[in-house]
């Protein structure tokens, strides 16, 4: 095991594409985060949490995934869930 694996935090230098930088900068300017570093950490944490939730929810639905009707229903549920999350995010920005 690399000795760096047990360090609780690490500094990473990356260059953000302009659209991501502007999006994060808006979050700082609106007061959602105190600075850019916190906005990056906060949004990555949210993304990780959403990914973990999506994986967990998917495993609940996968019990009978081989049945076409169940697969269709699961796809519709997932589509609606994404649409609702998008709408919530749009309303937060407005």
């Amino acid at each position: 095991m690399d000795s760096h694996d047990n360090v609780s935090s690490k500094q990473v230098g990356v260059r953000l594409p302009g659209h991501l930088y502007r999006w994060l900068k808006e979050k700082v300017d609106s007061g959602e985060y105190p600075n850019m570093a916190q906005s990056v950490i906060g949004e990555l944490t949210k993304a990780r949490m959403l990914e973990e939730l999506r994986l967990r929810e998917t495993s609940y639905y996968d019990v009978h995934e081989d049945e076409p009707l169940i697969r269709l229903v699961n796809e519709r549920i997932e589509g609606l869930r994404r649409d609702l999350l998008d709408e919530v995010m749009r309303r937060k920005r407005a």
Side-chain angles (χ1 to χ4, degrees):
M1 176 190 279
D2 187 19
S3 64
H4 296 291
D5 289 339
N6 52 11
V7 176
S8 64
S9 65
K10 297 179 186 204
Q11 186 169 351
V12 177
V14 297
R15 296 183 63 82
L16 294 172
H19 69 284
L20 290 177
Y21 178 85
R22 288 186 297 275
W23 173 65
L24 293 169
K25 181 80 170 109
E26 286 175 17
K27 291 183 172 289
V28 172
D29 292 344
S30 71
E32 189 173 338
Y33 295 103
N35 56 51
M36 285 296 286
Q38 289 298 312
S39 70
V40 170
I41 292 166
E43 293 305 314
L44 285 173
T45 301
K46 286 179 191 176
R48 180 180 179 196
M49 181 188 67
L50 288 172
E51 181 179 352
E52 288 173 355
L53 284 172
R54 185 170 45 245
L55 290 173
R56 198 174 316 136
E57 288 172 357
T58 302
S59 67
Y60 294 144
Y61 300 138
D62 285 346
V63 175
H64 301 286
E65 187 65 30
D66 55 333
E67 295 180 35
L69 182 57
I70 291 175
R71 190 174 331 117
L72 179 63
V73 169
N74 287 339
E75 288 170 3
R76 290 281 173 98
I77 290 171
E78 184 63 22
L80 288 171
R81 189 184 67 77
R82 284 190 196 126
D83 291 345
L84 287 171
L85 284 174
D86 289 345
E87 182 62 25
V88 167
M89 296 307 289
R90 274 193 294 273
R91 289 183 183 200
K92 282 184 177 180
R93 283 186 237 130

